[in-house]
């Protein structure tokens, strides 16, 4: 998937490579989800949350563009559901930035996506560069 390639370029360190496209996607979601989940309203700055939200939104924007592409081989229903989640994520991000919502819903969504990718990510192989 194109999402995997872009996610790797955005989130992976050049010191290692992952073996599968879904593994790359899993790692990208894992990184941004960990940042969102660890944000503490009482201890952390809003700027750190905003940065994590921007990374998450970028990841979802790339995913949305990928599932909207006619060449995407995922089943149409799954593509539509993922595109809906892209729109929902954008909407929730705006609400969080306005102080009208908390990031927990985005953590839940990302964690669900990671569960779906996990089966394919279990056999990741890391290769030193």
């Amino acid at each position: 998937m194109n999402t995997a390639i872009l996610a790797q370029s955005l989130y992976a360190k050049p010191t290692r490579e992952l073996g599968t496209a879904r593994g790359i996607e899993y790692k990208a979601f894992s990184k941004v989800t960990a940042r969102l989940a660890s944000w503490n309203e009482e201890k952390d700055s809003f700027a750190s949350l905003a940065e994590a939200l921007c990374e998450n939104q970028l990841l979802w924007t790339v995913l949305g563009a990928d599932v909207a592409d006619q060449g995407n081989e995922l089943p149409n229903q799954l593509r539509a559901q993922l595109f809906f989640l892209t729109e929902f994520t954008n909407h929730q991000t705006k609400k969080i930035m306005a102080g009208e919502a908390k990031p927990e819903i985005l953590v839940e969504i990302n964690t669900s996506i990671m569960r779906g990718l996990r089966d394919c990510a279990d056999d990741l192989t890391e290769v030193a560069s």
Side-chain angles (χ1 to χ4, degrees):
M1 281 170 76
N2 295 336
T3 305
I5 294 167
L6 186 54
Q8 182 181 28
S9 71
L10 293 173
Y11 296 108
K13 298 291 182 202
T15 57
R16 61 181 162 164
E17 295 178 21
L18 301 173
T20 66
R22 288 191 183 191
I24 294 166
E25 292 169 339
Y26 183 91
K27 289 284 189 179
F29 272 102
S30 177
K31 179 180 177 179
V32 73
T33 304
R35 289 193 64 202
L36 289 170
S38 68
W39 182 76
N40 182 314
E41 187 173 8
E42 295 176 16
K43 295 192 301 187
D44 299 322
S45 70
F46 186 77
S48 66
L49 174 62
E51 186 177 294
L53 288 168
C54 287
E55 285 183 14
N56 188 63
Q57 194 169 27
L58 178 59
L59 180 59
W60 274 99
T61 299
V62 171
L63 180 68
D66 190 43
V67 298
D69 186 284
Q70 292 298 329
N72 188 296
E73 296 179 5
L74 290 174
N76 287 339
Q77 183 177 359
L78 179 57
R79 290 173 57 197
Q81 291 169 334
L82 289 169
F83 192 81
F84 171 80
L85 284 175
T86 299
E87 294 297 313
F88 181 82
T89 298
N90 286 332
H91 179 73
Q92 283 301 116
T93 297
K94 289 175 187 172
K95 288 178 71 172
I96 296 165
M97 293 292 283
E100 299 169 2
K102 303 289 183 200
E104 286 80 12
I105 187 68
L106 299 180
V107 172
E108 290 178 31
I109 291 169
N110 287 4
T111 301
S112 294
I113 295 297
M114 290 166 56
R115 268 190 229 110
L117 293 168
R118 186 177 301 151
D119 292 338
C120 296
D122 282 343
D123 57 342
L124 292 178
T125 54
E126 294 184 6
V127 179
S129 295

